[in-house]
């Protein structure tokens, strides 16, 4: 299984469970992510995502960043409606200082099959984006509508296809076939005239290089919008 997001031409989308875990762990190793926060006061700067659905469960994810070295409790909620007037599940996740500080990954159970759910995270007065996900059908399924994305070179263009996918309500899942990131130095591959320069500028080699590159991709608002609305399943193993 895998879970995550990418884009085709200029598109993006999500992926399943072992992959989801690999990528999510990777997303938590960056020593300093402040450069990619959309707002310094936003403790959920990289949006939300979901994936690896089963008939009765699904994974939901966010990255929490508040700049404090002490343990923090992040609340999570799942509801049957986007206003959260019909709560289904809720709980608290303790974010601890250390290597994986910031990762909030919840395996939500006790859900109904082939059903849309809405989820969000809160900390103090802050609330994350509201995400939408969908559980898998129970047993055999005659029809599924899938979107396919791949090859999301950040420098080569904008992720407007992700924005298009975010507006679709008839898609069961988005399959990202890879590549999620590109390792090349800035200007080496693709047209970089858009001004979207890779960070770091050099070819990525170290763990820190990889984590900064991943977070740069994840900071894109159109990619985030797709992950908010669609379940992204990733068919590519992501190195940690």
């Amino acid at each position: 299984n895998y879970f995550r997001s990418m884009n085709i031409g200029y598109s993006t989308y999500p992926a399943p469970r072992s992959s989801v875990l690999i990528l999510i762990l990777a997303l938590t190793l960056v020593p300093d992510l402040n450069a990619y926060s959309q707002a310094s006061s936003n403790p959920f700067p990289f949006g939300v995502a979901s994936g690896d659905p089963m008939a009765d469960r699904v994974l939901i994810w966010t990255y929490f960043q508040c700049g404090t070295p002490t343990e923090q409790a992040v609340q999570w909620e799942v509801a049957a409606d986007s206003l959260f007037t019909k709560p289904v599940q809720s709980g608290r996740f303790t974010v601890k200082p250390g290597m994986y500080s910031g990762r909030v990954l919840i395996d939500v159970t006790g859900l109904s099959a082939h059903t849309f759910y809405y989820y969000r995270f809160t900390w103090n007065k802050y609330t994350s984006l509201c995400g939408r996900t969908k559980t898998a059908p129970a047993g055999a399924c005659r029809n599924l509508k899938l979107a396919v994305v791949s090859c999301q070179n950040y420098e080569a263009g904008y992720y407007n296809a992700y924005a298009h996918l975010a507006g679709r309500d008839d898609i069961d899942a988005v399959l990202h076939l890879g590549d999620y990131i590109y390792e090349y130095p800035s200007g080496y591959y693709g047209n970089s005239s858009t001004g979207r320069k890779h960070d770091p500028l050099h070819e990525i080699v170290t763990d820190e290089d990889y984590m900064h590159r991943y977070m740069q991709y994840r900071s894109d608002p159109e990619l985030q919008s797709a992950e908010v609305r669609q379940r992204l399943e990733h068919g590519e193993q992501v190195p940690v």
Side-chain angles (χ1 to χ4, degrees):
N1 286 351
Y2 310 103
F3 129 135
R4 199 101 246 101
S5 49
M6 293 194 154
N7 110 290
I8 218 176
Y10 299 150
S11 319
T12 16
Y13 283 75
R17 199 167 234 107
S18 61
S19 275
V20 176
L21 292 173
I22 293 173
L23 178 56
I24 289 176
L25 287 175
L27 292 175
T28 64
L29 291 173
V30 188
D32 180 10
L33 307 178
N34 288 321
Y36 302 111
S37 298
Q38 294 176 348
S40 59
S41 61
N42 177 14
F44 306 107
F46 305 109
V48 299
S50 69
D52 196 20
M54 297 183 182
D56 63 344
R57 65 204 303 164
V58 70
L59 292 175
I60 60 174
W61 171 92
T62 191
Y63 189 95
F64 172 73
Q65 177 181 305
C66 71
T68 175
T70 59
E71 290 187 0
Q72 298 292 317
V74 173
Q75 302 290 134
W76 59 270
E77 303 171 80
V78 174
D81 67 313
S82 61
L83 297 178
F84 290 82
T85 61
K86 301 175 182 179
V88 175
Q89 298 279 8
S90 64
R92 176 179 296 183
F93 185 95
T94 300
V95 178
K96 299 180 179 181
M99 177 177 291
Y100 299 114
S101 174
R103 174 180 63 98
V104 180
L105 179 63
I106 310 297
D107 191 359
V108 185
T109 61
L111 305 178
S112 298
H114 210 218
T115 302
F116 279 115
Y117 289 98
Y118 298 84
Y119 63 97
R120 66 186 179 186
F121 303 86
T122 58
W123 175 76
N124 289 348
K125 63 179 181 180
Y126 300 100
T127 302
S128 72
L129 297 173
C130 171
R132 185 185 69 172
T133 190
K134 190 177 185 180
T135 50
C141 181
R142 294 180 63 87
N143 296 291
L144 283 176
K145 182 172 284 188
L146 305 177
V148 176
V149 297
S150 67
C151 307
Q152 60 178 42
N153 185 353
Y154 184 86
E155 287 199 343
Y158 296 98
Y159 294 162
N160 53 289
Y162 276 133
H164 174 72
L165 286 174
R168 297 284 295 268
D169 289 321
D170 59 338
I171 296 173
D172 290 291
V174 179
L175 303 181
H176 199 311
L177 305 182
D179 297 307
Y180 189 82
I181 67 167
Y182 281 69
E183 300 162 307
Y184 302 114
S186 181
Y188 180 82
Y189 182 75
N191 180 4
S192 57
S193 62
T194 60
R196 286 161 61 92
K197 302 292 186 182
H198 270 140
D199 179 36
L201 294 175
H202 58 263
E203 180 182 2
I204 56 175
V205 178
T206 67
D207 286 346
E208 185 172 343
D209 289 343
Y210 273 93
M211 296 313 112
H212 275 281
R213 188 70 59 89
Y214 274 115
M215 285 307 184
Q216 180 185 37
Y217 278 57
R218 287 239 7 112
S219 68
D220 185 272
E222 292 181 319
L223 188 155
Q224 288 190 17
S225 72
E227 290 198 327
V228 162
R229 295 287 295 171
Q230 305 290 354
R231 204 180 64 218
L232 186 59
E233 307 298 338
H234 202 300
E236 171 187 72
Q237 293 286 344
V238 179
V240 177

